[in-house]
Amino acid sequence: MALFSPILPLHEPLSIFTAIMGIVLISPFLFKLVKIPDVASFIIMGVLVGPYGLNILARDSSIELFGTVGLLYIMFMAGLELDPEKLKTSRKSSIVFGLATFIIPFILGLLVSKNILQLENQATVLVSIMFSTHTLVAYPIVRKLGVNRDVSVLTAIGGTIITDTLVLLILSIATQNFQGNTLGFEVLKLVLYFGIYTFLIFYFFPIIARWFFKHIKRDRPVHYLFLLFMVCISSFAAERIGTEPIIGAFMAGLALNRSIPKNSLLMHHVDFVGNILFIPVFLIGIGMLIDTRVLISGPYLWYVTSVLIATAFAGKWLAAFISQKMLKFSNIQRNLLFGLTSSHAAATIAIILIGYEKHIIDIAIFNATVFVILVSSLVASFITEKSGKRIVLNSSFTNETKHSERILVPISNPLNMANLIGIATCFQKLNQTEPVYVINILNENRSSRENILKIRESLETNVAEFNNLNETLKVITRVDLSISSGIIRAAKEYMATDIVFGWVEKSTTSQRLFGNIFDHLLTSQQTLYAINMNRNLTDFNKFVVHIPSNLEHEPSFVSIIQKLNKLPKPDDQLVFEIENWAELPNIKTTIPKKNKHKISFKTNGFGIPGNKPDEIHVLFLLRKQSVSYNLKNNTAVKELISKEGFNNQIIVVPGYE
């Protein structure tokens, strides 16, 4: 009978951990269908499984422990990602905007909190600084669009460093229980202690980190444990001087961000563990705090939520508007600045949780703030994407190419590698200083030493026999549980800009659900060339390149056109079928004037091309959020891919870095 007795909420450690891991695993997949960000999905799931939802989990000491670590982890990663070097490239604009985006929302928050919401003094200050802070949730969008070097984006990054630092300083003061007659002395003492603490962290942490990373090389996981220890030390020290531990975690991130390369394996470990464990559990714990009964208790919560959301957006928009006038930005740059800084997430969660746990704010303000986080994250992503695309479309065309391009060629069968290496070596001629990296990924069950040596020997033999190109090819053999993950990791390690791979199989039902190698590679940032040929490269007499609208604005456009121009033999034909005839001049500027190919241009739209045996067609599959993304184009390309008997094609996916 015990099996059927009430067991909720779960109490056994194993059952609790199993439930949490299941939630972390399933939540992103479920909410991705309705385009809800991962941050919001974990909070919503916390509401559903928490004591005010289905009561599957109780917010016990284990949840609180992971939550505490997760909160520190969020602030530590925020410090790591805010590179102070960015402040130097746009120092004036960053300072102007940083002060504006702190002061204006703060003052607006004071007026609204005191006069409209009728909050106490300490709660007023806490809610006001919540309006000042922001998180660059939408920054990955501008990276994909290739506008991360625009002055407005650099201003947003630099301004974030300034405003978040000021917010955390005021937070450390606002959460103290000072007596009225000693307020001035206590604040002065806290500022003095904080100054000494900041000096010690920024002076000694980098020195200790450099020594540790230089001398402790035997066990790489120890480097990650070292970082966690440094975060804990900094957070503990911050708490001892009277400030919040999250400030210590943030300072540790700022102090160590120059010691950890952004593309290093250690940084990958930091992101991986945080995003897979600590941060999701923390967000689930936040959701478990939300009392759903308040949602139906009356109109007060919806009134407070509306006021907070309106104030949050108004403060950040006014800051962007005033900064635009002072810095002479365009309207589009103002909108991009507003989009990047209008989202409230990491620091906002930290501030509001501290206020709730210290009983400074009530459950209504807490719940309303969660809605602010959800709405602002969605709106910020929409505005940033729209404004970023307009900046790209309005910018002047440039024919600059990357100076350090590297090509990675994954090989599954050494005997069928001729076309792939042939294409890659044609591309490589644009950058003779770099070899072509030929990689073979072995599954775990094939990772015996004898098998690795056998496959590597076969690869090297075929490379040596392929037109004597062994001096320009470098062979790599890897063992990984997933072929696609191994390719992506190798691309990051070798800083590859282009991946050339074979692609001939149609997706099965299971592959459409969980993704094949092509689908997984779409999540990378490199330019992809998926090759599907039933003949040798030299047997084709005509290359037809189908150019969709706005492709010219992709960061990798020039590189792609120049590479494709290298494919045919001198006597062959290269035909560009252009959807938008206005883009013709920009395509012509990428092709050398002294060109021996027979090049012609014509318009075609999205029609499915014919399948002549001596032709190979180059089509573009566009990533979502890219400036040239067009559903109609992608649908036409996918129809072509699935068309029976149509095999001679190169599918190009433009990269964004």
Side-chain angles (χ1 to χ4, degrees):
M1 295 296 294
L3 181 64
F4 300 96
S5 61
I7 58 173
L8 299 181
L10 300 175
H11 295 289
E12 294 296 327
L14 181 57
S15 61
I16 293 174
F17 191 75
T18 302
I20 290 175
M21 290 300 98
I23 294 170
V24 173
L25 175 65
I26 296 173
S27 297
F29 292 102
L30 290 179
F31 289 93
K32 188 177 183 179
L33 298 175
V34 289
K35 298 184 178 180
I36 292 180
D38 290 351
V39 172
S41 70
F42 292 128
I43 295 176
I44 294 173
M45 287 299 295
V47 176
L48 293 176
V49 303
Y52 304 110
L54 300 176
N55 197 29
I56 297 175
L57 294 175
R59 200 173 191 278
D60 57 11
S61 57
S62 60
I63 300 293
E64 292 179 359
L65 174 62
F66 274 104
T68 300
V69 177
L71 182 57
L72 297 179
Y73 213 96
I74 287 176
M75 300 310 297
F76 172 62
M77 291 182 66
L80 281 180
E81 293 171 355
L82 294 180
D83 188 357
E85 290 296 326
K86 296 287 186 181
L87 191 61
K88 296 180 181 179
T89 60
S90 55
R91 185 177 304 171
K92 176 185 174 182
S93 60
S94 295
I95 292 174
V96 170
F97 177 69
L99 293 176
T101 199
F102 170 77
I103 295 173
I104 295 173
F106 182 72
I107 294 175
L108 190 61
L110 288 175
L111 296 174
V112 170
S113 300
K114 196 67 178 176
N115 299 319
I116 298 179
L117 299 179
Q118 304 292 320
L119 299 180
E120 299 292 335
N121 291 337
Q122 201 172 13
T124 295
V125 174
L126 207 61
V127 172
S128 299
I129 61 172
M130 179 198 73
F131 290 131
S132 293
T133 188
H134 61 261
T135 306
L136 298 176
V137 169
Y139 182 72
I141 295 175
V142 297
R143 284 182 57 204
K144 289 184 178 182
L145 293 174
V147 296
N148 50 324
R149 295 183 181 179
D150 187 85
V151 64
S152 60
V153 178
L154 296 176
T155 298
I157 296 173
T160 300
I161 299 174
I162 295 173
T163 188
D164 279 2
T165 303
L166 293 173
V167 163
L168 293 176
L169 284 175
I170 293 185
L171 174 66
S172 63
I173 297 174
T175 53
Q176 303 299 316
N177 294 318
F178 296 138
Q179 300 296 326
N181 56 350
T182 62
L183 177 60
F185 174 75
E186 292 293 336
V187 171
L188 182 62
K189 184 174 71 171
L190 180 62
V191 171
L192 178 62
Y193 284 169
F194 187 80
I196 297 173
Y197 160 81
T198 302
F199 170 78
L200 294 176
I201 292 295
F202 277 85
Y203 182 78
F204 285 107
F205 268 39
I207 295 175
I208 296 172
R210 284 195 296 269
W211 179 90
F212 191 89
F213 295 148
K214 180 179 180 181
H215 293 89
I216 309 299
K217 298 180 179 179
R218 183 179 59 184
D219 194 356
R220 294 296 181 183
V222 171
H223 290 177
Y224 177 77
L225 295 177
F226 166 76
L227 287 182
L228 285 185
F229 179 70
M230 297 293 277
V231 173
C232 293
I233 289 293
S234 180
S235 301
F236 177 76
E239 187 177 37
R240 296 301 299 170
I241 67 171
T243 64
E244 290 297 325
I246 63 169
I247 298 175
F250 181 73
M251 291 298 179
L254 282 178
L256 294 172
N257 62 15
R258 293 184 181 179
S259 303
I260 307 173
K262 296 298 182 288
N263 294 321
S264 65
L265 189 60
L266 179 58
M267 191 66 182
H268 171 74
H269 289 161
V270 172
D271 288 336
F272 177 78
V273 177
N275 292 327
I276 207 69
L277 182 61
F278 292 128
I279 295 176
V281 177
F282 163 70
L283 295 172
I284 291 170
I286 291 292
M288 294 171 68
L289 287 171
I290 298 176
D291 188 350
T292 53
R293 295 171 298 183
V294 179
L295 300 176
I296 58 175
S297 61
Y300 178 70
L301 174 64
W302 303 107
Y303 167 72
V304 173
T305 301
S306 301
V307 170
L308 292 186
I309 291 175
T311 306
F313 284 124
K316 290 300 181 181
W317 190 87
L318 284 173
F321 177 77
I322 292 175
S323 298
Q324 173 203 3
K325 298 303 181 182
M326 297 178 65
L327 301 173
K328 302 186 184 305
F329 284 178
S330 66
N331 290 340
I332 302 176
Q333 287 177 314
R334 177 203 64 206
N335 293 339
L336 183 59
L337 196 62
F338 167 64
L340 282 170
T341 58
S342 60
S343 55
H344 297 264
T348 302
I349 294 174
I351 292 169
I352 213 66
L353 180 61
I354 290 171
Y356 180 71
E357 291 179 341
K358 290 180 176 289
H359 306 290
I360 299 174
I361 62 172
D362 58 20
I363 187 65
I365 298 293
F366 179 83
N367 285 346
T369 303
V370 174
F371 281 104
V372 172
I373 294 169
L374 299 180
V375 173
S376 65
S377 297
L378 293 173
V379 172
S381 299
F382 173 78
I383 294 176
T384 300
E385 181 176 358
K386 183 178 179 181
S387 303
K389 286 185 176 181
R390 290 187 63 188
I391 283 183
V392 174
L393 295 175
N394 291 342
S395 62
S396 58
F397 177 79
T398 175
N399 60 358
E400 294 180 1
T401 58
K402 300 171 186 174
H403 296 290
S404 58
E405 294 184 333
R406 293 185 178 182
I407 301 171
L408 185 72
V409 184
I411 299 294
S412 58
N413 185 355
L415 300 178
N416 298 327
M417 58 192 287
N419 275 336
L420 298 182
I421 292 184
I423 291 172
T425 51
C426 286
F427 291 170
Q428 185 262 354
K429 292 177 183 177
L430 293 172
N431 190 5
Q432 294 285 357
T433 61
E434 291 288 344
V436 171
Y437 294 87
V438 180
I439 183 170
N440 183 260
I441 306 294
L442 302 178
N443 289 114
E444 187 75 13
N445 58 358
R446 299 174 55 198
S447 60
S448 66
R449 179 177 177 83
E450 294 78 8
N451 195 43
I452 293 176
L453 293 176
K454 181 179 178 180
I455 291 178
R456 185 176 182 87
E457 181 181 354
S458 177
L459 271 175
E460 292 176 344
T461 300
N462 281 274
V463 165
E465 293 176 355
F466 189 77
N467 294 333
N468 296 318
L469 291 172
N470 52 308
E471 294 182 357
T472 59
L473 301 178
K474 182 175 181 180
V475 177
I476 308 166
T477 306
R478 284 286 183 87
V479 178
D480 206 295
L481 293 174
S482 166
I483 294 177
S484 55
S485 298
I487 294 172
I488 293 174
R489 274 193 278 270
K492 289 182 178 180
E493 181 178 341
Y494 288 92
M495 294 182 289
T497 57
D498 304 85
I499 302 177
V500 179
F501 61 99
W503 184 77
V504 294
E505 297 180 356
K506 308 299 181 185
S507 295
T508 64
T509 302
S510 62
Q511 285 176 327
R512 282 197 295 268
L513 288 173
F514 299 104
N516 53 25
I517 293 177
F518 197 150
D519 297 329
H520 285 135
L521 292 181
L522 284 175
T523 63
S524 67
Q525 63 190 32
Q526 289 81 16
T527 298
L528 308 179
Y529 297 86
I531 314 300
N532 184 2
M533 298 182 186
N534 57 11
R535 304 167 63 185
N536 292 328
L537 179 66
T538 54
D539 293 337
F540 296 99
N541 295 322
K542 186 177 181 181
F543 283 71
V544 183
V545 184
H546 304 266
I547 305 292
S549 290
N550 294 327
L551 188 71
E552 62 170 334
H553 298 291
E554 292 290 343
S556 54
F557 170 75
V558 175
S559 174
I560 291 171
I561 297 299
Q562 290 182 348
K563 283 184 172 67
L564 294 177
N565 186 47
K566 291 290 183 180
L567 287 180
K569 295 181 297 183
D571 296 334
D572 294 337
Q573 296 183 42
L574 180 60
V575 178
F576 288 96
E577 292 194 346
I578 307 170
E579 181 193 356
N580 186 356
W581 195 251
E583 297 175 357
L584 175 61
N586 295 330
I587 295 176
K588 285 186 174 181
T589 59
T590 67
I591 300 174
K593 294 182 179 179
K594 296 180 179 180
N595 199 299
K596 298 180 181 180
H597 302 320
K598 298 176 182 178
I599 298 179
S600 59
F601 303 90
K602 62 179 182 178
T603 57
N604 184 42
F606 288 101
I608 300 295
N611 186 21
K612 297 181 180 179
D614 63 341
E615 290 183 356
I616 185 167
H617 292 266
V618 181
L619 300 107
F620 290 84
L621 194 64
L622 309 169
R623 288 181 171 102
K624 288 185 178 180
Q625 293 183 337
S626 65
V627 68
S628 62
Y629 176 72
N630 187 302
L631 179 60
K632 189 176 180 181
N633 172 83
N634 280 12
T635 301
V637 171
K638 290 176 182 178
E639 288 179 1
L640 177 62
I641 291 173
S642 61
K643 189 176 181 181
E644 195 68 31
F646 199 93
N647 295 317
N648 300 322
Q649 56 193 266
I650 299 177
I651 308 298
V652 183
V653 182
Y656 56 87
E657 276 198 353

